[in-house]
């Protein structure tokens, strides 16, 4: 036949189909159809936007708006977090100090303790933040500077950058005079000079001629802790300690004067106070039964009582 029928796609062999498609790709204009997309990713060619959207399109504008909103939210969260941290720091910072005591005190009295606290902060500036305060160190500092303070703590104040200094004071069980100064002692045997309670009924006459110092445990734990138990021990047996004398050149012996009795009791701090009180009470009851009233009894020796 002169005219040969053109083969259809189905009649072409696999090799012919591949050759035909390759020829079509090579003849296609640049950027058209699949060949255009294929040419976009050829070597040394610039990649175009996947969306192909112009920069001023509505979708691109919304995308830019979302990005700006996200940046604004991140900035706002950062500012709020910073403000919160600053607020927390101001709440913890002791820039101004207020004093709180069990009973109201005059400002000139509380100013002494504010000055002591500021002196403490001068040595430990980071502890102006309440969370960093070393309570044991603060207690020891006040024990030296103000021995009349029993406990000390720092709490939050009523305003920002303020703190409350909470104080409790030692209550004396006895007092005595040494030279031209009056000292008080609590039931732990600690001496101090400023008393915020009523004067104690027990008076110690110091005839030892040994100089006492504020803040130092005198009479061996020196012994007013011992004296505190002596006072309460006699009270349990219906006897009241009226006065205590420290004999000359010793702080280890005390002479106890009981109310309504001419007989004194000589005790030593080297023995248990409870045992000496019980022996003294038994001896006095025995002497009362015999109708005798010696000038003194001595209970400083275990299981033995001397009197004259």
């Amino acid at each position: 036949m002169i005219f040969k029928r053109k083969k259809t796609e189905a009649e072409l062999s696999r090799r012919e189909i591949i050759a035909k498609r390759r020829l079509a790709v090579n003849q296609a204009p640049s950027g058209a159809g699949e060949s255009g997309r294929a040419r976009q990713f050829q070597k040394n060619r610039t990649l175009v936007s996947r969306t192909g959207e112009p920069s001023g399109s509505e979708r691109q504008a919304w995308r830019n708006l979302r990005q700006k909103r996200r940046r604004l939210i991140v900035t706002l969260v950062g500012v709020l977090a910073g403000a919160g941290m600053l607020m927390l720091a101001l709440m913890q910072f002791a820039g101004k100090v207020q004093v709180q005591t069990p009973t109201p005190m005059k400002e000139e009295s509380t100013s002494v303790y504010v000055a002591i606290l500021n002196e403490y902060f001068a040595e430990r500036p980071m502890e102006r933040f309440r969370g960093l305060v070393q309570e044991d160190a603060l207690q020891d500092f006040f024990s030296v500077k103000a021995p009349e303070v029993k406990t000390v703590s720092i709490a939050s104040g009523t305003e920002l950058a303020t703190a409350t200094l909470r104080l409790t004071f030692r209550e004396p069980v006895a007092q005595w005079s040494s030279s031209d100064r009056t000292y008080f002692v609590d039931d732990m045997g600690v001496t101090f000079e400023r008393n915020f309670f009523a004067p104690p009924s027990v008076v110690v006459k110091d005839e030892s001629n040994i100089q006492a110092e504020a803040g130092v445990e005198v009479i061996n734990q020196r012994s007013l802790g011992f004296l505190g138990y002596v006072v309460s021990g006699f009270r349990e047996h219906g006897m009241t300690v009226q006065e205590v004398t420290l004999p000359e050149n010793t702080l280890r012996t005390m002479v106890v004067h009981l109310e309504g009795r001419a007989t004194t009791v000589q005790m030593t701090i080297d023995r248990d106070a409870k045992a000496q009180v019980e022996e003294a009470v038994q001896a006095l009851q025995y002497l009362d039964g015999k109708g005798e009233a010696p000038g003194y009894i001595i209970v400083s020796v275990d299981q033995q009582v001397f009197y004259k």
Side-chain angles (χ1 to χ4, degrees), residues 253-283:
T253 300
M254 63 174 58
V255 179
V256 179
H257 302 259
L258 298 173
E259 188 177 79
R261 287 182 176 271
T263 303
T264 61
V265 181
Q266 183 173 313
M267 312 178 78
T268 177
I269 62 174
D270 293 330
R271 286 191 61 211
D272 179 61
K274 181 178 180 180
Q276 292 183 80
V277 169
E278 291 178 352
E279 291 176 4
V281 170
Q282 291 175 4

Side-chain angles (χ1 to χ4, degrees), residues 15 33 50 52 72 90 98 103 138 147 201 212 226 271:
R15 182 177 298 175
R50 183 176 294 180
L72 181 61
L90 289 175
Q98 303 167 337
T103 56
L138 180 63
S201 58
F226 175 90
R271 286 191 61 211

Side-chain angles (χ1 to χ4, degrees), residues 117-125 128:
L117 181 62
N118 286 329
E119 184 179 349
Y120 176 82
F121 284 149
E123 296 182 7
R124 300 165 176 255
R128 278 195 178 272

Side-chain angles (χ1 to χ4, degrees), residues 37 139 244 248 269:
R37 287 191 295 271
Q139 182 71 53
V244 175
E248 187 176 1
I269 62 174

Side-chain angles (χ1 to χ4, degrees), residues 133-198:
V133 173
Q134 301 293 323
E135 294 184 357
D136 291 342
L138 180 63
Q139 182 71 53
D140 292 342
F141 193 85
F142 268 80
S143 296
V144 174
K145 299 291 184 178
E148 70 276 7
V149 174
K150 185 175 183 179
T151 63
V152 55
S153 62
I154 299 178
S156 58
T158 56
E159 302 174 359
L160 288 178
T162 63
T164 300
L165 178 64
R166 293 178 175 174
L167 302 174
T168 62
F169 299 99
R170 300 183 185 277
E171 184 173 2
V173 297
Q175 72 177 40
W176 77 93
S177 298
S178 179
S179 300
D180 58 345
R181 303 171 73 175
T182 299
Y183 294 91
F184 300 91
V185 63
D186 69 351
D187 55 0
M188 298 299 293
V190 178
T191 62
F192 51 94
E193 295 184 65
R194 301 184 70 188
N195 177 34
F196 296 99
F197 297 87

Side-chain angles (χ1 to χ4, degrees), residues 44-110:
N44 296 329
R45 287 185 177 271
T46 302
L47 297 177
V48 298
S49 172
R50 183 176 294 180
T51 59
E53 297 177 0
S55 59
S57 66
E58 184 177 354
R59 174 178 286 186
Q60 186 64 32
W62 276 105
R63 183 178 291 109
N64 294 339
L65 181 61
R66 284 197 300 271
Q67 292 176 350
K68 291 180 180 179
R69 187 181 301 162
R70 189 178 296 113
R71 288 193 296 266
L72 181 61
I73 291 174
V74 171
T75 302
L76 181 60
V77 170
V79 171
L80 291 177
M85 293 178 65
L86 179 60
M87 183 71 68
L88 181 61
L90 289 175
M91 292 174 63
Q92 291 285 323
F93 187 71
K96 183 180 178 181
V97 179
Q98 303 167 337
V99 178
Q100 183 182 74
T101 58
T103 56
M105 296 176 60
K106 296 181 179 180
E107 185 176 352
E108 54 267 26
S109 298
T110 60

